[in-house]
Structures are given as structure tokens and as C-alpha cells.
Amino acid sequence: MPDDSAIASLVQSCQAGTLDDFDPIYREFVKPIYGFIYRRTLHRETAEDLTSVTFMKALENIHSYKSSKGAFGAWLYRIARNTITDSYRTSHPTADIENVWDLASDDQTETLTEHGMAFDQIQEALQKLSPEKRDIILMRLWDGLSYKEIAAITGKTESNCKVIFCRTLERLRAETSLATLLLILLTPFKL
Amino acid sequence: MKTSLESILAELYQTDPTLRDHEKELIPLIKRLLKDQPDAEPTEQFIAELRAQLQSQARSLQSTTLPAGHSSTERRLDPILSFFSLMKYSYAALGLVLGVLLTTPAVYYTLKNPSSPLKVLPTDDSLFSYSITKRPDNDFGDLAGGRSAGAETTSFSRNQSGGGGGGLGGGPTMDAKIAAGGNATSDMMIYPPQDFVQYEYVFNGDIPALTNDKVSVLKRQKNITRIPITAINGSFDLGSIDLNSFNNARVDSLTFTQDESYGYMISVMLSEGAIGINQNWAKWPHPEADCKDDACWRAMQVKITDIPADDVLLDIAHAFMKDHHIDLSAYGTPEVDHQWKVEYERATDKSMAYIPDTQRVIYPLLIEGQPVYDEGGTKAGIQVGVNVRERKVADVWGIMNNNFLRSDYAGVTDSEVVMKYLREFEQTPKEYLPQDTKVRTVKLQLGAPVVAYSRMYMYENNANDELYVPSLVFPVTNVPAGEYYYRSSIVVPLATDLLGRFQNIGRPMPLAEPGVVDPAATTDTPEATGVTAPGAVVPKENVPAGE
């Protein structure tokens, strides 16, 4: 697996015109980017389409990436995030474009049972959060991104992201009694 | 990257130490959030398809000069978005777009201009390219083994002979002869009989829904001998012969040789639509060739520690493909072939085990995004051999012209037909074996099948055609210890005619019902020889009344 410096070198090569070097970049990021999109759309075909668009955009605009503004991975995640938002705007023109989470709840409910999990409780808890807070929670817990990466993607400072994450979890905790939390934890997966 | 509960808690406490007071509530909350993470991996098919698209787009971007004032995104994104929204509905669209996008600039030469013998053809004249052309249903004739459209008999070759087995299991024709003779015993054989191994394939899962009553069979248009002999005659003087005197002759093959250190020989086989690259043997070091004794030879053998990591092999292969502009747009993510390791792992004396000095990297061919398997169950595609000693590519095989004709044939819709095929796969009925043969059954477990194309060969009109048939490919998931078995998958074609045809291949000659020996067919009696001449078995209905 290429490290950050290897990725940077490949990106430089692409920017110099050797676009064949986009291939190892793609291989490095295709799974995490797909996962990032899937976790926000909960729909395989949509995730595939948006992943395709994300990488096409990245390939076409790689000359505009500037390493001084953050890691290439963060740039790629930002494209993915914008692509999801654009897609949501197209498919739900009258809805709150920030509230991408609804993309899953509208017409992809079958995918929830596909996972066989007690998704409703978590979804309900997360839905009460503002899109910004929810996004930071998801990026840290589900996407496994570091605060540095989250900061680069969201345009906030690292410490700001940490505080938002901390306060949001505290809010979730405070709004849910211990008994309910234990119940949630012990709820068996739906099969 | 997965996030751990511990790391999250540590971060929280670092940000707000007072949260430690609520640890009992935070832990179940975080656990649940982590646990409920909806996770899904993209399919290998999707990864390969998108990769091919990106590679094609990269080439397009590299080769296109945009007019001033137009961004690449403006010009290209809309069609791309439209394409991907179409993609989920129709893989056929993918094939067509690939066909338009792909060109192979690698080895297309024309020799038309005497002053410039080698000239790259314009891309629209590419001999090696990717396209699929629709033809009427059943256009390739009767695939079931009757008369083909060309009124010639059709036969199939099959290389699903991965199984090893006992000494008596080699030749179905021999079995048939023995069976027809009726009284052959293993005493007649030079070598003492071993157990005959019958492989029994066990599949406990569900067959995917077979909803298509028609399946698209592809036939590769491999012959691309379009360069007339007049194109090269005049480029050089052969002196003793006038090539122009051979009317309508065409260039069938070309060979180019690099006469330098680590040079290659490039063979362009136009009649096969294939290109092969091999090391120019004389120009590569072969220290083992100078060995005079076994000790030297052994010392020269590649050791397991000499085998580079997969990443290294892939990098070497990829660099070669890139350097020589070998078009990989129709191929998926490359893989290193580890088949040799099966035998290596089995070897009790590793020092004697065979370790190939050329490791193979396979760029799997994708047709409409689906992988292609050979009948033996291995992935078809471009094979790149990497010389382990030199860390260089030694050979490349399987660069092909991928122009296909497509014709629909009746498809298999009954899953029980597939199960029956698996149950009977390569089963040799006991009546075809010598009387005292001991049959040993080896059970092989099959995993969940993938839908893919399989490449099959059809002999017709004195030419070997290649068919690509939608199939279910069942991976062999276990081989009992001590058994010699090489096939990685079992391929079940989903075209009804081919399935029926293959059910009978690999078995002895047809003996659907009890036959009698035609005395006119042989002068040797079965009793005397133990075998019957080919053609001596005739069905009952062919026997004149009264006999």
C-alpha cells in the first residue's frame, strides 16, 4: 500500500501529465471512498454511481489539487462529500440539501434489513443531530478518519472538530438514559 | 481503518475530562455506534469496471488538446454522468462505450510506405481493439454438437482436465474400448492398477436465480489478416522470389526481434488476433545453462526466499505494460498467480519442491465488466511472466484483439439442471472401467458461484473458434490433503446447448444404450484383443432386424 509520500509523488506525476499514475491512487482509495459514500446513502447502486463520479472528477481536476491545502485523501473525501450533496440536491430539489441522511430513509429502506441490524434506534438518534455534527460523528466513528483529516475535509480546525465530536457524544449520552442505552446495546440484530 | 472504543474514549477524556464520570453510559453508546456501522465493500466487478473507465479517460485526457476557454470538466462530465447512470441498468452500454473508447496503440504497423517501412496506423484502423457486434439469434450454428451454420461438423476441445487421479483415469477413449470389449482386466496393463479416483463435487448452497431464457454467446473475431502482401513487397528485395506473384496473399504473422541485452521477440499473430512477447533467449543471462552437475544446478534454482512480494511483481509488470503502452482498458485488476504454491505447500521436502523462476501476473480480461474464465477454471487474460532472478518481465502472452460477435441462444433457467451437471461432472460410469478397478471417491466442496464468461473452443471449418459463454463459476474451496487436484473452479455454461454438449465431454465415447459389436468394423475380436476398434460399437437401432 502506498504511503502518503508515495501518494504525493503519484499525484505530482499525474499533475505533470502522466495520468496513468492515477491508477495506483484509485486502487488505494476506491474501497474507503466507496464505504464513505455507501454509509451515507445505504444504497449499493447509488454508492457505485457516486464513487464513479467522485473518481472521474478527481481525475479530471487533479491539476487543481494543491498539497499545501491538505492531504490528497482529504481532497478526495471532500469531492465525495460534495458529490453526495449534489446527487441529493438533484434527486430531492425541495428538501434540505444538507440533510443527506434522508437519502437513505426515503427509498432505500430495504438496505437496512440487508444489514440485519437494529438500525432504527441509531438512525433516530443520529437524525436528531445537525448535519454538521452528524457528519463529524460519522467520519470519526464509521470512516475512521483522523481529526486532522476531518478538519481538512470540513474546513474546520482540528481542535474544533474534537470539541464538536465530544459535545455531540455527550449530548447523545445525556438524551438517552442508561437503561435505554443498555437496551440498545443488547438488542439482537434483526435477521 | 477501524476505530476502537478505547481510542475514542481516550480522545473524549482528553478533550473533556469530566466525561469520565459518564463512562458507564458512554461505553454502550459508542459500542453501539461502532457496531451499527453499515459496511459494504464494493464488488470486484465494480472496481474493475471503474478502473477500466478511469484508464480510458486518462488516456483520452492525455491525448486531447482542449480548445481555449473550455474546461475539461465542462466538456466531459455530463456524458460521464449520463454513462454511469446508464451503467447500472445496462452492462451492454459499458461494452459499447468501451468499444468506442479503447484503442491499442501497441503494435499496429503498416508497411505500405516503402520509404518508411514501419508506420503506425491511425487509431480507427486499429487491428487490436474492443467491440461487440450484435448478430441474429443462433448465428453461430448449432452449439449442441450437430451441424453448424457452415454445414461442417462442430466439435469442442476441453481442457477441464485439472484432476489428477489414478492411472486408469487418463483416457476416456481407452475406457470406452475396454467397456466395449467387456472382459478387459487390469492384468493386461503394463503398470499395476491404481485406484481410480472419482471426484464428487459437493455444493450445498443455492443456485442464483436463472431468469434469462436467452443468453448472449460471444464469438471472438480473431482473424485480422488485413495487411495485403503488396503492402510489404517493395520494402525490401527478397531477390529470389516475387511475392507479388502470390495473388491475394496476406500477412499472417510478424515477428520483431530486439537484438540487444535483455531484448525481446515480439510475435504478432494476425490470424489468431494475438500478440506474444518473449525474451530474446540469446540476449538474456542463463547462468544455470552452464552448469555441469546437479549440485550446480540445484544451487542455481530459485529459492522460496527469492520470490518477491506480490506488490513488487505487480509493479514490475505494470511498469512494463506502461512502458510499452499495452492497452489494459479491457482488463481488470492484476493478480499474481499462486497456483504453483499449492504443490510447494504439499511437498514434504521443500528443497526438492518446484519453484518457478518466472512468476506470473494475470491481467484478467473483462467482457462487459464480467471476468472471463478458461474452462479449467482459471481467469483468462494477459499473462505477464516476471523473471525472478532478473526482476524483469520475461514474457507477455494473451494480448488479443477483442472484437466479438454476439448472438443469443437458449439459456438454462432450471437450477436443477445445473445441480445435475455438477453431480455428473467428470463422472465415469463404473461400466466403463476394468472389472477389478477400485474406485476411490474424493469429495470436493464448491463455494458460491459467480456469474462470469467462460472461454470455450469450438472446432469448425478447420479452424478453432473461441466462444465466450455466460456461465456459473463455482470455486473449489477445499482439496483433501494428499490429493492431486489442480482446478480452481468448475465452470457451468448457461447456454442450454453447450451445457448439454459438455455433459457428455470428458466421458467415454457415447454408449447411451447397450450396443453390439459390428463384426464388419474390425477383424480382431474383442475377446482376442480386449479392445474394439473405433466405430465398432453401434446402437441397437442400427442393427439389421433379425441379428
Side-chain angles (χ1 to χ4, degrees):
Chain A
M1 298 286 275
D3 55 22
D4 284 350
S5 61
I7 290 290
S9 169
L10 291 166
V11 170
Q12 277 181 0
S13 175
C14 288
Q15 289 180 324
T18 311
L19 289 178
D20 284 350
D21 282 340
F22 191 78
D23 188 57
I25 298 174
Y26 165 73
R27 283 187 275 146
E28 173 74 3
F29 284 104
V30 62
K31 288 185 178 177
I33 289 292
Y34 175 90
F36 178 88
I37 294 172
Y38 179 79
R39 286 188 280 275
R40 285 155 182 80
T41 59
L42 299 174
H43 192 260
R44 284 180 186 275
E45 287 187 348
T46 304
E48 288 182 356
D49 282 356
L50 299 187
T51 303
S52 302
V53 174
T54 297
F55 279 101
M56 281 294 178
K57 282 180 179 175
L59 175 64
E60 296 222 343
N61 295 289
I62 198 163
H63 59 276
S64 67
Y65 163 72
K66 291 182 175 58
S67 58
S68 58
K69 293 188 175 177
F72 180 80
W75 183 73
L76 202 53
Y77 276 102
R78 217 160 42 231
I79 294 176
R81 197 164 171 251
N82 292 339
T83 302
I84 297 169
T85 306
D86 289 346
S87 168
Y88 187 67
R89 183 189 285 126
T90 306
S91 56
H92 299 71
T94 59
D96 173 7
I97 62 168
E98 294 275 290
N99 204 358
V100 175
W101 189 261
D102 289 344
L103 189 67
S105 60
D106 277 0
D107 48 7
Q108 278 96 30
T109 48
E110 80 282 359
T111 59
L112 304 182
T113 52
E114 179 187 316
H115 290 288
M117 58 191 175
F119 201 84
D120 45 353
Q121 294 107 328
I122 285 300
Q123 192 189 24
E124 191 180 337
L126 291 170
Q127 248 175 345
K128 288 178 182 171
L129 300 174
S130 71
E132 177 191 73
K133 290 173 181 169
R134 187 167 58 224
D135 217 14
I136 290 175
I137 290 284
L138 297 189
M139 279 193 267
R140 181 72 196 102
L141 289 179
W142 285 3
D143 301 316
L145 298 174
S146 68
Y147 286 113
K148 187 179 178 183
E149 290 168 318
I150 295 170
I153 294 167
T154 59
K156 298 179 184 302
T157 64
E158 259 187 83
S159 57
N160 197 1
C161 291
K162 280 183 185 177
V163 170
I164 291 173
F165 179 79
C166 187
R167 287 182 181 165
T168 307
L169 267 191
E170 167 58 8
R171 181 185 152 188
L172 282 173
R173 182 205 63 77
E175 289 179 355
T176 318
S177 70
L178 177 60
T180 307
L181 284 170
L182 286 172
L183 187 65
I184 289 175
L185 183 65
L186 296 172
T187 302
F189 286 165
K190 292 173 185 172
L191 296 174
Chain B
M1 182 174 66
K2 293 292 178 187
T3 311
S4 73
L5 172 68
E6 294 73 22
S7 63
I8 295 295
L9 286 172
E11 290 165 7
L12 287 173
Y13 300 154
Q14 192 182 21
T15 309
D16 183 357
T18 64
L19 285 177
R20 281 186 189 279
D21 299 338
H22 304 293
E23 188 171 88
K24 281 184 181 174
E25 296 159 313
L26 282 170
I27 288 176
L29 175 66
I30 297 168
K31 271 188 177 175
R32 188 75 218 197
L33 283 166
L34 289 171
K35 200 174 182 181
D36 276 356
Q37 171 176 331
D39 212 356
E41 289 260 311
T43 62
E44 286 302 318
Q45 181 179 330
F46 166 73
I47 291 173
E49 283 172 5
L50 179 54
R51 183 165 179 260
Q53 282 302 305
L54 288 166
Q55 287 173 339
S56 179
Q57 184 67 359
R59 286 197 179 86
S60 172
L61 286 168
Q62 279 174 325
S63 62
T64 307
T65 305
L66 296 175
H70 289 74
S71 79
S72 58
T73 307
E74 282 173 18
R75 277 190 51 191
R76 297 197 183 89
L77 198 54
D78 284 348
I80 292 164
L81 290 171
S82 303
F83 167 73
F84 279 109
S85 57
L86 277 174
M87 191 174 73
K88 63 184 176 185
Y89 299 111
S90 170
Y91 286 113
L94 172 66
L96 287 173
V97 174
L98 275 174
V100 172
L101 292 176
L102 306 188
T103 55
T104 304
V107 193
Y108 305 147
Y109 299 110
T110 180
L111 303 172
K112 290 179 181 175
N113 185 347
S115 61
S116 177
L118 292 178
K119 180 182 174 185
V120 178
L121 286 165
T123 52
D124 57 354
D125 285 345
S126 293
L127 297 173
F128 287 73
S129 56
Y130 182 105
S131 69
I132 297 178
T133 305
K134 181 81 177 78
R135 299 296 295 264
D137 289 2
N138 305 313
D139 195 50
F140 311 143
D142 177 12
L143 303 182
R147 287 287 182 179
S148 69
E152 295 288 338
T153 52
T154 303
S155 64
F156 287 83
S157 63
R158 189 181 196 190
N159 60 355
Q160 294 209 68
S161 55
L168 301 181
T173 306
M174 182 59 147
D175 293 338
K177 290 173 180 175
I178 290 167
N183 63 350
T185 71
S186 56
D187 295 340
M188 297 171 172
M189 307 214 169
I190 295 171
Y191 294 104
Q194 301 173 26
D195 289 352
F196 183 84
V197 177
Q198 286 274 40
Y199 289 104
E200 185 179 317
Y201 297 92
V202 181
F203 176 64
N204 297 320
D206 294 324
I207 302 291
L210 303 171
T211 54
N212 298 324
D213 57 0
K214 284 188 176 179
V215 294
S216 291
V217 176
L218 306 182
K219 182 176 178 181
R220 188 164 77 91
Q221 294 283 86
K222 60 183 185 178
N223 191 328
I224 48 175
T225 52
R226 295 202 294 266
I227 302 175
I229 200 166
T230 51
I232 62 166
N233 197 25
S235 299
F236 45 84
D237 183 8
L238 291 179
S240 60
I241 189 168
D242 176 14
L243 289 178
N244 277 334
S245 64
F246 296 92
N247 292 335
N248 301 320
R250 290 173 181 270
V251 178
D252 186 67
S253 63
L254 298 164
T255 302
F256 305 90
T257 302
Q258 267 185 308
D259 194 21
E260 60 185 41
S261 180
Y262 293 104
Y264 292 97
M265 295 181 73
I266 305 102
S267 302
V268 184
M269 294 154 280
L270 295 168
S271 59
E272 289 296 316
I275 297 171
I277 302 169
N278 205 358
Q279 58 177 305
N280 183 353
W281 182 265
K283 297 296 179 181
W284 282 57
H286 298 285
E288 74 281 5
D290 296 330
C291 281
K292 307 292 184 195
D293 56 37
D294 189 58
C296 168
W297 189 83
R298 291 205 174 283
M300 289 288 181
Q301 290 303 292
V302 170
K303 299 172 183 59
I304 192 71
T305 50
D306 297 330
I307 304 297
D310 285 1
D311 282 357
V312 176
L313 294 168
L314 290 168
D315 285 348
I316 294 169
H318 191 66
F320 184 91
M321 306 302 259
K322 186 177 166 185
D323 287 348
H324 297 286
H325 301 279
I326 295 172
D327 192 341
L328 297 172
S329 303
Y331 299 85
T333 307
E335 306 164 1
V336 177
D337 182 3
H338 293 129
Q339 193 60 33
W340 64 272
K341 285 188 178 172
V342 176
E343 277 308 299
Y344 179 81
E345 294 301 331
R346 283 179 183 155
T348 50
D349 180 2
K350 302 291 189 207
S351 67
M352 299 293 287
Y354 170 65
I355 302 173
D357 61 2
T358 300
Q359 296 288 306
R360 310 219 73 80
V361 172
I362 300 171
Y363 287 80
L365 173 64
L366 298 178
I367 296 179
E368 297 174 324
Q370 293 186 334
V372 179
Y373 288 79
D374 275 323
E375 294 164 57
T378 55
K379 280 186 181 173
I382 297 177
Q383 292 201 26
V384 182
V386 178
N387 184 299
V388 171
R389 288 193 186 89
E390 305 298 331
R391 303 276 174 127
K392 288 179 185 294
V393 168
D395 57 70
V396 181
W397 299 102
I399 301 170
M400 295 194 314
N401 150 46
N402 289 317
N403 291 322
F404 300 98
L405 299 177
R406 178 208 302 275
S407 179
D408 287 350
Y409 279 80
V412 175
T413 54
D414 183 357
S415 59
E416 178 51 32
V417 172
V418 175
M419 293 299 286
K420 182 170 182 288
Y421 183 88
L422 293 175
R423 283 195 299 272
E424 296 178 354
F425 188 70
E426 284 188 336
Q427 291 290 306
T428 304
K430 282 186 179 176
E431 57 266 31
Y432 289 106
L433 300 172
Q435 291 167 0
D436 55 353
T437 302
K438 290 179 182 174
V439 176
R440 187 165 59 84
T441 301
V442 174
K443 291 191 176 182
L444 298 168
Q445 193 73 37
L446 299 179
V450 295
V451 179
Y453 277 95
S454 58
R455 177 162 62 191
M456 295 170 173
Y457 295 92
M458 183 171 72
Y459 190 73
E460 183 179 26
N461 296 335
N462 297 319
N464 217 4
D465 286 334
E466 290 176 25
L467 294 183
Y468 293 76
V469 187
S471 304
L472 289 177
V473 180
F474 294 79
V476 177
T477 55
N478 78 315
V479 177
E483 295 295 339
Y484 286 88
Y485 186 86
Y486 300 95
R487 187 176 300 137
S488 55
S489 312
I490 304 299
V491 174
V492 182
L494 293 178
T496 305
D497 287 353
L498 285 170
L499 188 78
R501 170 91 189 187
F502 278 172
Q503 235 156 356
N504 295 322
I505 294 181
R507 302 182 126 209
M509 295 293 285
L511 201 62
E513 54 187 295
V516 296
V517 176
D518 178 4
T522 176
T523 53
D524 297 325
T525 62
E527 290 75 14
T529 62
V531 295
T532 307
V537 177
V538 293
K540 270 185 174 176
E541 62 265 31
N542 291 344
V543 179
E547 286 201 28

